[in-house]
Amino acid sequence: MDTATKEIGHVEMLATMIARLLEGAPATMTAEAVRTG
């Protein structure tokens, strides 16, 4: 259970980082990132 909680935290950190990197990006770039992700 402890390992699963840590892994969920890591996924959340990665998702936040990607969202911040895409902030202000053109809509086409954002759509491409979502489609290939």
Side-chain angles (χ1 to χ4, degrees), residues 10-24:
H10 292 149
V11 170
E12 185 178 350
M13 284 190 300
L14 286 171
T16 301
M17 182 178 63
I18 291 169
R20 287 186 180 177
L21 288 171
L22 288 173
E23 223 171 71

Side-chain angles (χ1 to χ4, degrees), residues 1-36:
M1 186 77 152
D2 186 45
T3 304
T5 303
K6 283 183 181 179
E7 291 305 316
I8 289 171
H10 292 149
V11 170
E12 185 178 350
M13 284 190 300
L14 286 171
T16 301
M17 182 178 63
I18 291 169
R20 287 186 180 177
L21 288 171
L22 288 173
E23 223 171 71
T28 55
M29 183 181 290
T30 305
E32 178 71 23
V34 170
R35 189 164 36 94
T36 60

